[in-house]
Amino acid sequence: MKHPILLFAASVAFIVLSSGCNKTPPPPPPPTSSALPPPTPETVVARLTQPDLPAILPHKIDPATAFPQALASLSPTGTAPKVLAPSATAPKGDALPATTAPTGEQTTDDYKIVDPNRPPTKGLTADGVTTDLVMHDWTGIVLVPLDTSISRAHTVLVAIDRIEAHPLDNGQVRIWARIRNVSDGPLPSEVACSFRTAESSEPERPIFYKLDLPHGDYRDVFFVSPEGRNLNSYTVLVRSGDESTSVSGSLH
């Protein structure tokens, strides 16, 4: 005859094991932003022009681009937008008589006219690697941010005349920026772009690049958003070169 204490212990073990087998599995967690499919040109345009979250920077579609050099990157399936006429980079109300610079460019004393044939400064990627303008990857759509205070942050020594977002065939976005020196002399500066995506709640630490701006002149730069991520917002950053001694790259 089995000992009654052993019988009791066996019964308890049986009850515990039975309960574990019949336990209902917990419901699956709700989907998160990280579960979003990789971006496409269509989802990029819809996301930025019809934002459904406060974290997404609203944009509008513009029929024209201020960066004619971007046309070199137009996809074979894209439609080329109109190109804004070249204009002086001098502030409104500072119209000065035009003269011919030694280089052949038109200039208004210290302020140069935007040159449609000037190639852009070497572009930047989110991972800190400089890149040439990739050919034939732009859809031809021009997006302009509605809230410029969010899309740019810069020293008072420069002005950012124009920012555009160009959706690419692979779902990335190329951010163009025209940076103008409004200081009293040549300006060593540093530029970067901070990207925020649905897959990352916090922006990665921006990588700054050296960019020398001659007196009264401008430079066009572009940045490419992280690959495979759904873009929420971005901020073009410019600071004077003497504000930091830490630099991760340089532009020429």
Side-chain angles (χ1 to χ4, degrees):
M1 180 176 179
K2 295 182 179 181
H3 196 282
I5 296 179
L6 294 178
L7 288 175
F8 175 74
S11 299
V12 172
F14 177 75
I15 293 173
V16 172
L17 290 175
S18 298
S19 300
C21 293
N22 296 331
K23 186 177 180 181
T24 304
T32 62
S33 59
S34 60
L36 288 173
T40 65
E42 294 76 17
T43 61
V44 167
V45 174
R47 185 177 188 84
L48 296 181
T49 59
Q50 305 172 38
D52 56 3
L53 295 172
I56 300 177
L57 178 65
H59 288 68
K60 68 176 182 179
I61 296 179
D62 197 307
T65 178
F67 299 96
Q69 59 271 56
L71 295 177
S73 68
L74 187 66
S75 168
T77 59
T79 301
K82 297 178 181 179
V83 177
L84 295 176
S87 59
T89 58
K92 292 181 179 179
D94 290 346
L96 300 172
T99 58
T100 301
T103 59
E105 288 185 354
Q106 291 297 310
T107 179
T108 54
D109 286 353
D110 291 334
Y111 295 97
K112 290 190 176 182
I113 303 294
V114 174
D115 179 6
N117 298 315
R118 175 186 287 191
T121 301
K122 188 176 287 291
L124 313 171
T125 57
D127 58 4
V129 179
T130 59
T131 179
D132 290 314
L133 185 62
V134 178
M135 309 300 281
H136 312 308
D137 61 351
W138 175 34
T139 61
I141 296 175
V142 178
L143 302 178
V144 177
L146 299 180
D147 192 340
T148 57
S149 64
I150 296 178
S151 63
R152 64 190 71 182
H154 55 85
T155 171
V156 295
L157 301 177
V158 304
I160 301 182
D161 295 332
R162 174 83 169 183
I163 291 180
E164 294 179 6
H166 293 185
L168 308 183
D169 285 337
N170 65 354
Q172 289 179 274
V173 180
R174 183 177 290 124
I175 308 299
W176 284 85
R178 176 162 295 143
I179 303 171
R180 176 167 48 91
N181 179 2
V182 296
S183 70
D184 294 332
L187 179 65
S189 65
E190 297 176 357
V191 296
C193 190
S194 173
F195 291 99
R196 293 173 176 80
T197 65
E199 290 76 12
S200 178
S201 58
E202 295 295 331
E204 297 180 1
R205 184 178 180 181
I207 299 175
F208 281 84
Y209 297 80
K210 287 183 178 179
L211 179 65
D212 291 330
L213 295 169
H215 176 49
D217 204 355
Y218 71 94
R219 290 290 183 266
D220 290 345
V221 298
F222 62 81
F223 308 85
V224 183
S225 67
E227 185 176 3
R229 299 187 186 182
N230 292 269
L231 183 63
N232 278 352
S233 66
Y234 55 87
T235 303
V236 176
L237 307 167
V238 186
R239 66 189 183 190
S240 59
D242 57 0
E243 293 180 13
S244 173
T245 58
S246 176
V247 181
S248 300
S250 61
L251 299 177
H252 302 285

